[in-house]
Amino acid sequence: KEQYELILRGAIDILPEGEFEERLKKSIAENKPLRVKQGFDPTAPDIHLGHTVGIRKLKQFQDLGHQVVLIIGDYTGLVGDPSGRSATRPQLAYDEVMANAETYQKQFFKILDKSKTEIHYNGEWFSKMNFQEVMTLASKFTVARMLERDDFEKRYKSGSPISIHELFYPLMQAYDSVAIKADVEIGATEQIFNLLTGREIQQDYGVEPQLVLTMPVLVGLDGHQRMSKSLGNYIGIDESPKDIFGKVMSIPDNMIYSYFELVTDVSMNRLAEIKMQLEETSANPMNIKKELGETLVTMYHSAEAGKKAKEEFERVFSRHELPHEIPEFDCSSYEGQVWIVKIMTDSKLAKSNSEARRLIKGGGVSIDGEKVGDENLELDVKNGMLLKVGKRRFLKLKRN
Amino acid sequence: KEQYELILRGAIDILPEGEFEERLKKSIAENKPLRVKQGFDPTAPDIHLGHTVGIRKLKQFQDLGHQVVLIIGDYTGLVGDPSGRSATRPQLAYDEVMANAETYQKQFFKILDKSKTEIHYNGEWFSKMNFQEVMTLASKFTVARMLERDDFEKRYKSGSPISIHELFYPLMQAYDSVAIKADVEIGATEQIFNLLTGREIQQDYGVEPQLVLTMPVLVGLDGHQRMSKSLGNYIGIDESPKDIFGKVMSIPDNMIYSYFELVTDVSMNRLAEIKMQLEETSANPMNIKKELGETLVTMYHSAEAGKKAKEEFERVFSRHELPHEIPEFDCSSYEGQVWIVKIMTDSKLAKSNSEARRLIKGGGVSIDGEKVGDENLELDVKNGMLLKVGKRRFLKLKRN
């Protein structure tokens, strides 16, 4: 079945394996779309390419005619996902959670078709749960099994505190699957414990257990750590064409393939070609990387913007030409000669005098193409002078 | 302060020690009664002397003018007290809990003054708690600290399952103290973890932390294990005068003092005298035990019943006289001589032929005061014959 092939793309685990293909077949035969769930914690307001790995997998299901169900964890947000955390996280305030949730919704629908997407806040069911029902949910799982979760186990063994309410995170995610009767849940690999807990809890509540599909965690621009806002190694899907393209060009070559696989739409055939090209040492990976950049700008802006961003990049970096638009800085208010460092800090090209000095000493500053050697240089500013810092920052100086 | 002396009676821990006397003084000075709490799980419908240890301590507070607050754990009953249990207990059904709770209430007021007692079901607050509030409560305590509880620790280490909902028992008991603003909580020694958790959780919710008073666990008739219904070593406060008195007479001498101290009203002076008498080897502990029996029958029936039970006991056991009322057994339907063993089993004096034979062989059976030596004896039953088995069982045989 080709649906199955497509769904496998980029996935790490598909559990239980045999059952998955069966259920896909059955769904098609009976014309009953699968309910495909993913949950999102509204803990940070921006979506970056890392998030799109799962959302795009949902989109594939959606394009195949299945029913996508997004869960926004307004109530799970109150508990906090303990994944990868070494300490109990403060409970978020409900208003904060809801504000983040709104910006999330906007961004989902840059990828998914809104009219075909079901969306739920899990407060819908948790806010109605009474004490007895919470205890019933808690009774379905043992403390020992919960502490087998990687992060809990590490924290417990190292003596870091785990608050009792944190044990509810996996139970709540699992109960979401009961509430919406999920057939499939998609999550990052690190979610495997929660996803399988979902299967168990569904059975406890008499619901057919979901299939589980895990996607890899996208590596960030640094080439090592997961893409994350707090690490600053991310590409936001709301960023400008220039920034998206520029950031793509900065990733290590060995990441090109997985970005194509996980965060773009290129066909399976093109994907196979790219793999081959990257393996041929004769090919220049720079060109494939440019294709990746153009593809991503096209996805989140337009084909035109993609083409432009690529041309602009080639003009500035590959052919060492000037970019089309260079910001100007007005030096009219200075009198006589001006200390080069002052111009750099006043224009924000450097954050501080010491940073400006460092840039000059490092040989990264030039005026009209000529390197500045002296950090004490007093410059006689002429209208139209071009100040360049590093490879990419230009400033046209103005003086009347 | 003499109030403090009285409250100390029988107690094991009073925490924090200095503070307790202070708060008693303050309460008297400001004429503000202390709110003295004890919780009861309606898991079994009968109250025995073991339960009265705490209830009688409450009664002492009540007599001193303080406010007694009983908590019936209808909601805690749903979770189940893990104390002393080696396995997760099935959650009780709510109806079962409520039925037990009703019989409990009747029995409390055999000891306490109903008009001066505040009584709450903890469902009053737990049934109103929403999901967020449950999580807030759970966030106040860590998994590691909860697993320090003796029984949890043992179960966790031995790999016995502990369900997550069980962790709520101590938190719920603690929250009860928040809800009713307890100044003092009374519990058995094994409750110390929960009682101290109450102090912490009260502080978390901005309530002045309670004082803690623990009472010993009453040893049962066997002299070793705690008094408990399931062990059958108990004296129920609803039992007949004869049974209460008889059971008291069966306790080992070394338990006499603690029964006087923990489950009777005798004055501090008389208590000191009893201690002295028991230490003098010249005194006969049997007499003190009779006083204990009479005291208890008086407490739960009447002074008259107490006196009667004692006299009856002395007639039968001490002076080897016949009891006033001897059950009769009609032998009219037998023809000719009857096998002695058949009479014993038909009349239920023995459970089986082999038991009857054993009793005869052991020399424990007599007819009209004459020991029966032959287990094959064919008896010529005469109207009015007295059959005696062991020391206490008599039967008057009838035949027309």
Side-chain angles (χ1 to χ4, degrees):
Chain A
K1 186 95 16 265
E2 64 202 295
Q3 279 210 8
Y4 189 56
E5 281 298 299
L6 185 57
I7 282 162
L8 277 178
R9 170 172 172 172
I12 291 194
D13 276 316
I14 296 208
L15 299 170
E17 228 166 311
E19 221 180 282
F20 205 107
E21 214 174 332
E22 277 313 300
R23 244 156 109 173
L24 257 181
K25 271 189 200 157
K26 205 179 144 207
S27 149
I28 295 164
E30 298 179 359
N31 199 21
K32 261 194 182 170
L34 295 174
R35 294 176 64 73
V36 185
K37 168 206 178 196
Q38 189 172 2
F40 293 88
D41 284 348
T43 43
D46 279 342
I47 288 192
H48 55 61
L49 285 186
H51 299 115
T52 71
V53 175
I55 301 174
R56 291 185 36 68
K57 181 57 68 185
L58 293 169
K59 170 72 166 143
Q60 287 165 7
F61 275 100
Q62 193 168 63
D63 289 345
L64 294 170
H66 298 290
Q67 178 63 55
V68 167
V69 186
L70 300 181
I71 308 290
I72 297 185
D74 58 337
Y75 263 58
T76 354
L78 296 170
V79 169
D81 183 4
S83 286
R85 307 208 161 245
S86 57
T88 298
R89 150 155 92 178
Q91 291 180 274
L92 284 179
Y94 194 74
D95 290 350
E96 202 179 333
V97 165
M98 292 305 281
N100 289 339
E102 261 179 54
T103 70
Y104 255 52
Q105 285 215 40
K106 271 184 221 148
Q107 301 186 56
F108 286 142
F109 301 117
K110 293 203 167 183
I111 300 171
L112 293 165
D113 181 341
K114 189 170 184 173
S115 68
K116 291 184 187 158
T117 303
E118 200 177 307
I119 193 157
H120 295 279
Y121 287 70
N122 61 11
E124 284 173 36
W125 37 91
F126 289 120
S127 68
K128 284 180 203 134
M129 256 197 186
N130 64 27
F131 195 90
Q132 260 183 273
E133 290 165 332
V134 182
M135 288 303 111
T136 299
L137 177 58
S139 73
K140 306 290 188 198
F141 222 79
T142 72
V143 178
R145 289 218 33 225
M146 197 55 88
L147 293 183
E148 281 169 14
R149 224 180 96 127
D150 271 4
D151 43 2
F152 284 147
E153 194 183 20
K154 266 183 224 147
R155 280 164 65 189
Y156 190 70
K157 284 198 176 147
S158 71
S160 315
I162 303 166
S163 278
I164 290 170
H165 77 283
E166 292 184 82
L167 305 186
F168 278 82
Y169 188 89
L171 292 175
M172 290 173 78
Q173 182 170 342
Y175 188 84
D176 288 345
S177 293
V178 173
I180 63 128
K181 294 201 169 71
D183 292 307
V184 180
E185 182 167 2
I186 292 177
T189 43
E190 60 183 18
Q191 289 280 311
I192 190 86
F193 182 96
N194 302 345
L195 302 176
L196 294 174
T197 301
R199 285 176 58 83
E200 278 186 60
I201 300 295
Q202 280 181 311
Q203 275 173 299
D204 283 329
Y205 282 89
V207 170
E208 189 177 10
Q210 65 192 9
L211 305 166
V212 159
L213 193 153
T214 63
M215 297 300 293
V217 167
L218 194 71
V219 173
L221 303 177
D222 59 291
H224 298 287
Q225 293 187 275
R226 64 180 304 159
M227 184 173 284
S228 115
K229 232 193 144 184
S230 58
L231 293 173
N233 63 351
Y234 69 101
I235 301 177
I237 67 175
D238 251 355
E239 290 193 80
S240 72
K242 191 180 152 204
D243 285 339
I244 291 179
F245 198 96
K247 284 180 170 184
V248 167
M249 296 311 289
S250 79
I251 66 171
D253 293 347
N254 61 14
M255 284 164 55
I256 299 174
Y257 180 80
S258 71
Y259 272 52
F260 265 113
E261 183 182 37
L262 299 173
V263 302
T264 79
D265 271 327
V266 298
S267 70
M268 300 293 262
N269 287 341
R270 179 68 192 122
L271 208 51
E273 275 173 30
I274 288 168
K275 187 165 207 152
M276 243 174 48
Q277 287 173 354
L278 286 167
E279 280 163 2
E280 283 168 21
T281 47
S282 62
N284 184 357
M286 171 71 90
N287 291 326
I288 307 177
K289 220 192 274 190
K290 282 184 199 163
E291 183 187 335
L292 177 62
E294 189 178 344
T295 305
L296 285 167
V297 174
T298 301
M299 283 167 65
Y300 294 107
H301 292 275
S302 65
E304 198 193 350
K307 220 174 132 194
K308 234 187 187 168
K310 184 179 165 200
E311 282 168 5
E312 187 83 349
F313 177 86
E314 287 174 341
R315 186 174 305 114
V316 179
F317 298 96
S318 308
R319 289 188 242 131
H320 297 288
E321 288 175 16
L322 295 187
H324 270 172
E325 279 174 38
I326 299 178
E328 296 187 337
F329 182 68
D330 194 343
C331 295
S332 306
S333 61
Y334 298 129
E335 284 178 28
Q337 295 193 324
V338 194
W339 183 25
I340 177 81
V341 166
K342 187 167 170 50
I343 297 178
M344 288 172 69
T345 54
D346 285 353
S347 66
K348 314 272 195 236
L349 276 179
K351 280 179 196 151
S352 63
N353 287 357
S354 56
E355 192 194 358
R357 282 176 196 274
R358 230 182 303 116
L359 287 165
I360 297 169
K361 269 193 259 178
V365 178
S366 67
I367 288 168
D368 284 345
E370 218 165 293
K371 195 175 285 179
V372 176
D374 179 6
E375 44 180 303
N376 296 316
L377 174 70
E378 298 285 329
L379 189 64
D380 198 10
V381 180
K382 301 235 161 66
N383 193 35
M385 263 186 171
L386 192 68
L387 179 62
K388 185 181 172 195
V389 173
K391 277 192 177 169
R392 298 175 60 185
R393 280 172 294 165
F394 293 85
L395 206 62
K396 196 178 271 176
L397 303 185
K398 280 180 68 181
R399 195 175 214 179
N400 303 326
Chain B
K1 184 89 24 263
E2 64 204 296
Q3 282 210 6
Y4 190 55
E5 281 300 301
L6 184 57
I7 282 161
L8 277 179
R9 170 171 171 174
I12 291 194
D13 275 316
I14 297 209
L15 299 170
E17 227 165 310
E19 222 180 282
F20 205 106
E21 214 176 332
E22 276 314 300
R23 244 155 110 173
L24 256 182
K25 271 188 200 159
K26 205 179 145 205
S27 149
I28 296 164
E30 299 179 359
N31 198 21
K32 263 194 181 169
L34 295 175
R35 293 176 64 73
V36 186
K37 167 203 177 198
Q38 189 171 3
F40 294 88
D41 283 348
T43 43
D46 278 342
I47 289 192
H48 56 61
L49 285 187
H51 298 116
T52 71
V53 175
I55 301 173
R56 292 186 34 69
K57 181 57 70 185
L58 292 170
K59 170 72 165 143
Q60 287 165 7
F61 275 100
Q62 193 168 65
D63 289 345
L64 294 171
H66 298 290
Q67 177 63 55
V68 168
V69 186
L70 299 182
I71 308 291
I72 297 185
D74 58 337
Y75 263 58
T76 356
L78 295 169
V79 170
D81 183 4
S83 287
R85 308 210 157 245
S86 57
T88 299
R89 153 155 88 178
Q91 292 181 273
L92 285 179
Y94 194 74
D95 290 349
E96 200 180 333
V97 164
M98 292 307 281
N100 288 339
E102 260 178 53
T103 71
Y104 255 51
Q105 284 214 42
K106 270 184 221 146
Q107 302 186 55
F108 285 142
F109 300 118
K110 295 203 168 185
I111 300 171
L112 293 165
D113 182 341
K114 189 170 182 171
S115 68
K116 290 182 187 161
T117 302
E118 199 176 307
I119 193 157
H120 295 279
Y121 286 68
N122 61 11
E124 285 173 34
W125 36 91
F126 288 121
S127 69
K128 285 180 202 135
M129 254 196 188
N130 64 29
F131 194 91
Q132 260 184 271
E133 290 165 331
V134 181
M135 288 303 111
T136 300
L137 177 58
S139 73
K140 306 291 188 197
F141 222 79
T142 72
V143 177
R145 289 218 32 224
M146 196 55 87
L147 292 182
E148 282 169 15
R149 228 180 93 127
D150 272 4
D151 43 2
F152 283 148
E153 194 184 19
K154 266 183 224 146
R155 281 164 64 189
Y156 191 71
K157 283 195 176 151
S158 72
S160 315
I162 302 166
S163 278
I164 290 170
H165 77 285
E166 293 183 81
L167 306 185
F168 278 82
Y169 189 89
L171 291 176
M172 290 173 78
Q173 182 170 342
Y175 188 82
D176 289 344
S177 294
V178 173
I180 62 129
K181 294 200 170 70
D183 291 308
V184 180
E185 181 167 2
I186 292 177
T189 43
E190 60 183 19
Q191 288 280 312
I192 189 88
F193 181 97
N194 302 345
L195 302 176
L196 293 176
T197 301
R199 285 177 58 81
E200 279 186 58
I201 301 295
Q202 280 181 310
Q203 275 174 300
D204 283 330
Y205 281 89
V207 171
E208 191 178 9
Q210 66 192 9
L211 305 167
V212 159
L213 194 152
T214 64
M215 297 300 292
V217 168
L218 194 71
V219 173
L221 304 177
D222 59 291
H224 299 288
Q225 292 187 276
R226 63 180 304 157
M227 183 173 284
S228 115
K229 232 193 144 187
S230 56
L231 293 173
N233 62 351
Y234 69 100
I235 301 177
I237 68 175
D238 252 354
E239 290 193 78
S240 71
K242 190 181 151 206
D243 286 339
I244 291 179
F245 198 96
K247 284 181 171 184
V248 167
M249 295 312 290
S250 77
I251 67 171
D253 291 348
N254 62 14
M255 282 165 55
I256 299 174
Y257 180 79
S258 71
Y259 271 52
F260 265 114
E261 184 182 36
L262 299 173
V263 302
T264 79
D265 270 328
V266 299
S267 70
M268 299 293 263
N269 287 342
R270 178 68 193 123
L271 207 52
E273 274 174 33
I274 288 168
K275 186 165 207 148
M276 244 173 50
Q277 286 172 356
L278 285 167
E279 279 162 3
E280 281 168 20
T281 48
S282 61
N284 184 356
M286 172 71 90
N287 291 327
I288 307 177
K289 224 194 273 191
K290 284 185 200 162
E291 182 186 336
L292 177 62
E294 187 178 348
T295 305
L296 285 167
V297 174
T298 301
M299 284 167 65
Y300 294 107
H301 293 276
S302 65
E304 197 193 349
K307 224 175 129 194
K308 234 189 187 165
K310 185 178 164 198
E311 282 168 6
E312 186 81 351
F313 178 85
E314 285 174 341
R315 183 174 307 115
V316 179
F317 299 97
S318 309
R319 290 190 241 131
H320 297 288
E321 286 175 14
L322 294 186
H324 272 172
E325 280 175 37
I326 298 177
E328 297 186 336
F329 182 69
D330 195 344
C331 294
S332 307
S333 60
Y334 297 130
E335 284 177 28
Q337 294 192 323
V338 195
W339 182 27
I340 178 80
V341 165
K342 189 167 169 49
I343 297 178
M344 286 172 69
T345 54
D346 285 355
S347 66
K348 313 271 195 238
L349 276 179
K351 280 179 194 150
S352 62
N353 287 359
S354 55
E355 192 193 0
R357 285 177 194 273
R358 232 182 301 118
L359 287 165
I360 297 168
K361 269 195 258 178
V365 179
S366 67
I367 288 169
D368 284 344
E370 220 165 288
K371 196 175 283 180
V372 176
D374 181 4
E375 43 181 305
N376 297 316
L377 174 71
E378 298 286 332
L379 189 65
D380 198 9
V381 178
K382 301 231 161 66
N383 194 35
M385 262 186 170
L386 194 69
L387 178 65
K388 185 180 173 198
V389 172
K391 278 193 177 168
R392 297 176 64 186
R393 280 172 292 165
F394 293 86
L395 206 61
K396 196 177 272 176
L397 304 184
K398 280 180 68 180
R399 196 175 212 178
N400 302 329

